[in-house]
Amino acid sequence: MPSHHQIFQGRPKDDARGQIESVRGAVVDVVFPDASLPPINAELIVEWDRPTQLILEVHSHLDLQTLRAVAFQSTAGLARGVAVRATGREVTVPVGEAILGRLLDVTGAPKDNGPALPHDTPRRSIHALPPPLTAQSGTTDVFETGIKVIDLLTPMAQGGKAAMFGGAGVGKTVLVMELIRAMVEKYEGISVFAGIGERSREGHELLTEMQDSGVLARTVLIYGQMNEPPGARWRAPLTALTISEYFRDQKHKNVLLLMDNVFRFVQAGAEVSSLLGRLPSRVGYQPTLASEVAGLQERIASVAGSAVTAIQAVYVPADDFTDPAVTTISSHMDCVIVLSRAQAAEGFYPAIDPLASSSMLLDPLVVGQAHYDTAEAVRQALARFRALTDIISLLGVEELGAADRLIVKRARRLQRFLTQPFMVTEAFTGTAGASVPLVETLSGCRAILDGAADDWDESALYMVGTLDEARQKQAQQTAAPVSDAQKPDKPAQAAR
């Protein structure tokens, strides 16, 4: 890439002046009649009479004097002929210790009603190449989350990329919030959260929760919310990546990068693409879908001594897992966690589909033979139960053979044991959250597979942490039996 000092030919780098030619939503055409055009990705500042700053990023050159740029803030009230100044650099954002504990927008401006950032805060361009392959380090260290179904069936890697895929209302954000809470508390590195195209309410809740739990001091929050222009939502993840790369490369710290929701990044890119006049590709997405997603995901990399671990929520439009955006994003992931509407409808939370989810780390060479064998046995039992579901609904479980009846009995108990109350939902459910060590998860599943819970009531295993808690629950239910009319609905519904 050319040096910032060589951007303009024949003029000082900050002296190139242009004016607005046309405005189409977030896309603006600018004419530079007396200067060389700033290069692609260069930053332009609109010199208008509004109190809010308006920053543009050069996207393409239309001819020798006209360029097309994308706005990062609202262009409402922007008129033709307004002056535009080229800064001579790419869009930069603040990085370093000063931004820890702060909430920033896509350009790095504080939005938490706190003090302004110090003038000597270092800044970095939001555009960077991923580390060369020779500098990247692979890792097989398992990132233990305390969530039973994830640790058992879809283990995450320290320095890996994991994504939660799910439709509307199946619990993606709740799961990401629980992962933030679980990991940040026992995690010594830096956390960077990117809220891409999400609701303002969710951003406010996350900020308040982090303040209350005392982890905000090691966290940076970046927001490009759904009420902001597509340019802000499109570039917000790059801002978060730039901050993560600084702590990884300069401070040599491990970084936990959380993004909610990556689909909104793709959606913002599609909005920008249509405003730029490009012909749409499959299902109306932008023709540059694969390269945009790759440009984002390939920058999430670990180098020797410092890891960037990414956990991403991905909305699945209309529960269609063949959607081009979903398939493109999933191809970059080490760990794919699929949230199922059927699981949520039956009351099994977290609503993770154990058969559709997968992880590259579920290998005996990585997690050990005992973990691998237990996970495979659980999958086989659940898969057999799912295969028999239609027969059971038509003829009843009594028509199955003895071996299948036993598998169904244990699979139903495994289903309930893999549910778990979350700490972030305590206020809504009234049930104390649980974090379960991997050792307890494995021993509990193995005991159920071996028949230790065959005589227990199914509801004793529903929404508990360890098997010991389920044993205590079973003992209490046995000691104080209740009539069917008094039993709570939820486990009964879930049992169906």
Side-chain angles (χ1 to χ4, degrees):
M1 197 179 102
S3 163
H4 292 325
H5 298 286
Q6 299 169 336
I7 285 183
F8 303 117
Q9 300 165 6
R11 280 181 175 262
K13 63 175 185 175
D14 59 349
D15 195 32
R17 301 269 170 173
Q19 60 184 30
I20 301 295
E21 172 75 10
S22 66
V23 182
R24 287 182 304 284
V27 172
V28 179
D29 289 355
V30 184
V31 175
F32 283 84
D34 303 320
S36 300
L37 289 179
I40 304 301
N41 293 335
E43 178 187 50
L44 310 175
I45 294 179
V46 176
E47 298 181 329
W48 61 348
D49 56 357
R50 301 294 173 98
T52 55
Q53 189 180 43
L54 177 54
I55 293 175
L56 313 176
E57 183 181 69
V58 178
H59 191 276
S60 59
H61 294 169
L62 303 181
D63 56 42
L64 292 176
Q65 292 187 327
T66 313
L67 58 79
R68 186 158 285 168
V70 176
F72 284 176
Q73 292 88 13
S74 172
T75 56
L78 184 60
R80 295 179 64 183
V82 173
V84 175
R85 174 173 59 86
T87 62
R89 62 170 187 264
E90 294 177 339
V91 175
T92 61
V93 293
V95 294
E97 305 286 341
I99 64 170
L100 290 175
R102 303 302 301 271
L103 187 150
L104 311 174
D105 69 5
V106 64
T107 60
K111 295 294 179 182
D112 52 7
N113 296 326
L117 297 174
H119 292 298
D120 58 352
T121 304
R123 299 182 73 91
R124 270 195 169 191
S125 165
I126 63 171
H127 298 282
L129 294 173
L133 200 57
T134 51
Q136 294 184 24
S137 61
T139 179
T140 55
D141 293 337
V142 175
F143 208 36
E144 199 173 312
T145 65
I147 298 173
K148 289 182 288 191
V149 65
I150 291 178
D151 289 342
L152 174 70
L153 299 175
T154 59
M156 294 183 184
Q158 172 117 5
K161 292 191 279 265
M164 286 86 183
F165 293 88
V170 294
K172 293 183 302 301
T173 299
V174 171
L175 187 54
V176 168
M177 296 268 281
E178 180 70 8
L179 285 167
I180 292 171
R181 190 217 56 76
M183 291 183 174
V184 171
E185 284 189 0
K186 61 184 176 183
Y187 186 74
E188 296 303 318
I190 301 294
S191 300
V192 179
F193 179 84
I196 310 162
E198 289 300 286
R199 302 167 186 85
S200 305
R201 169 185 58 78
E202 291 173 346
H204 185 265
E205 284 175 3
L206 181 63
L207 178 62
T208 307
E209 188 169 309
M210 288 198 159
Q211 286 172 336
D212 293 343
S213 60
V215 299
L216 189 62
R218 299 199 313 276
T219 306
V220 185
L221 304 173
I222 310 296
Y223 276 98
Q225 295 173 150
M226 62 167 54
N227 61 327
E228 295 186 51
R233 289 178 270 127
W234 193 38
R235 292 309 195 204
L238 301 191
T239 301
L241 268 174
T242 302
I243 293 167
S244 303
E245 288 165 344
Y246 174 83
F247 284 109
R248 179 195 68 193
D249 298 337
Q250 305 300 318
K251 300 297 183 180
H252 306 292
K253 291 184 177 179
N254 290 334
V255 180
L256 180 61
L257 175 63
L258 302 128
M259 291 198 274
D260 185 11
N261 185 310
V262 181
F263 176 79
R264 306 293 179 200
F265 160 75
V266 172
Q267 201 173 39
E271 290 178 49
V272 171
S273 181
S274 62
L275 289 168
L276 291 168
R278 295 197 195 120
L279 286 173
S281 181
R282 282 192 306 155
V283 200
Y285 285 110
Q286 60 270 45
T288 53
L289 172 65
S291 59
E292 283 181 18
V293 171
L296 174 70
Q297 299 293 347
E298 293 307 307
R299 282 176 65 182
I300 303 171
S302 301
V303 297
S306 307
V308 175
T309 305
I311 296 172
Q312 308 171 32
V314 184
Y315 168 69
V316 179
D319 290 346
D320 179 13
F321 286 88
T322 63
D323 186 88
V326 175
T327 54
T328 304
I329 294 167
S330 65
S331 65
H332 292 271
M333 296 299 149
D334 307 318
C335 174
V336 173
I337 298 170
V338 175
L339 285 94
S340 155
R341 193 169 299 283
Q343 293 274 107
E346 292 189 47
F348 296 139
Y349 290 102
I352 294 171
D353 188 331
L355 303 181
S357 305
S358 62
S359 171
M360 294 172 68
L361 263 72
L362 193 60
D363 184 295
L365 297 174
V366 178
V367 297
Q369 193 67 47
H371 182 164
Y372 178 78
D373 290 344
T374 303
E376 284 301 296
V378 168
R379 273 191 204 277
Q380 286 172 11
L382 294 173
R384 183 62 182 156
F385 175 44
R386 187 172 290 183
L388 294 169
T389 302
D390 288 344
I391 296 173
I392 293 168
S393 12
L394 287 170
L395 304 175
V397 75
E398 296 79 13
E399 297 301 316
L400 299 176
D404 279 344
R405 278 206 305 274
L406 190 61
I407 287 173
V408 168
K409 177 188 283 190
R410 291 175 182 173
R412 288 172 67 90
R413 283 159 175 75
L414 281 169
Q415 270 188 325
R416 283 147 185 79
F417 181 63
L418 291 177
T419 62
Q420 186 169 340
F422 282 172
M423 296 189 189
V424 296
T425 59
E426 279 183 24
F428 308 104
T429 63
T431 305
S435 178
V436 184
L438 176 60
V439 178
E440 293 282 354
T441 301
L442 293 176
S443 63
C445 290
R446 178 47 62 192
I448 293 170
L449 287 165
D450 291 340
D454 283 359
D455 298 327
W456 295 9
D457 191 52
E458 288 179 358
S459 62
L461 293 153
Y462 179 74
M463 282 294 170
V464 295
T466 64
L467 195 65
D468 287 338
E469 290 177 33
R471 189 177 284 112
Q472 292 169 10
K473 193 173 172 183
Q474 171 66 17
Q476 289 169 359
Q477 290 178 353
T478 308
V482 294
S483 68
D484 287 342
Q486 292 173 308
K487 284 184 181 176
D489 296 333
K490 193 52 138 177
Q493 289 172 0
R496 287 188 217 117

